Amino acid sequence: MLIAGGSGIGPIRALLEELPPRTVVLYRARTADELVFRSELELLAEARDAQVWYVTGGRDDPGPRRAFSRRRLMELVPDLTRRDVYLCGSAGLVDAAVVALRRAGVPPRQIHLDPFEF
């Protein structure tokens, strides 16, 4: 599984080219206009039998908060605890995702972080 926030999609997009089929990408941005590489991601996903899920909205919107919950991650990726998860985004996004992943039972050794701040 790949989780990206904002411009963190750059490294995640590169990983998508190399990972096996059935990779799931969760991409977070404030608005649909901020979804960089969207058409490229969709072409890659189709070619690699992967899924891309977009999560848009402000920090206080309930939709993004639900997307990064244990329950929603398990709905999107039922075999989540058997996958490695790569995260790239702001510290806030990475922290929230790690909490949800740990609550879902993903072992720390399967969580790979690349947080950044501007």
Side-chain angles (χ1 to χ4, degrees), residues 1-114:
M1 179 173 196
L2 305 171
I3 299 175
S7 59
I9 194 62
I12 294 298
R13 184 234 168 268
L15 281 172
L16 181 58
E17 287 187 41
E18 304 298 323
L19 292 177
R22 298 185 6 182
T23 295
V24 176
V25 179
L26 186 60
Y27 182 10
R28 169 84 171 94
R30 281 181 289 222
T31 67
D33 290 339
E34 293 181 8
L35 294 168
V36 182
F37 302 129
R38 186 174 189 162
S39 35
E40 213 175 305
L41 285 169
E42 290 172 5
L43 287 171
L44 269 171
E46 185 177 335
R48 303 202 48 82
D49 191 28
Q51 293 180 329
V52 180
W53 297 94
Y54 302 103
V55 179
T56 59
R59 289 182 184 197
D60 296 326
D61 291 344
R65 275 189 266 143
R66 273 195 303 271
F68 289 91
S69 68
R70 178 200 63 78
R71 180 177 173 204
R72 184 64 179 140
L73 290 174
M74 292 300 294
E75 287 172 354
L76 291 174
V77 188
D79 65 346
L80 181 61
T81 59
R82 294 192 311 268
R83 293 181 182 237
D84 280 282
V85 182
Y86 297 85
L87 298 103
C88 189
S90 68
L93 174 122
V94 168
D95 291 346
V98 167
V99 167
L101 292 165
R102 294 294 298 128
R103 286 182 178 157
V106 177
R109 70 182 177 282
Q110 291 171 214
I111 301 173
H112 312 280
L113 310 176
D114 189 6

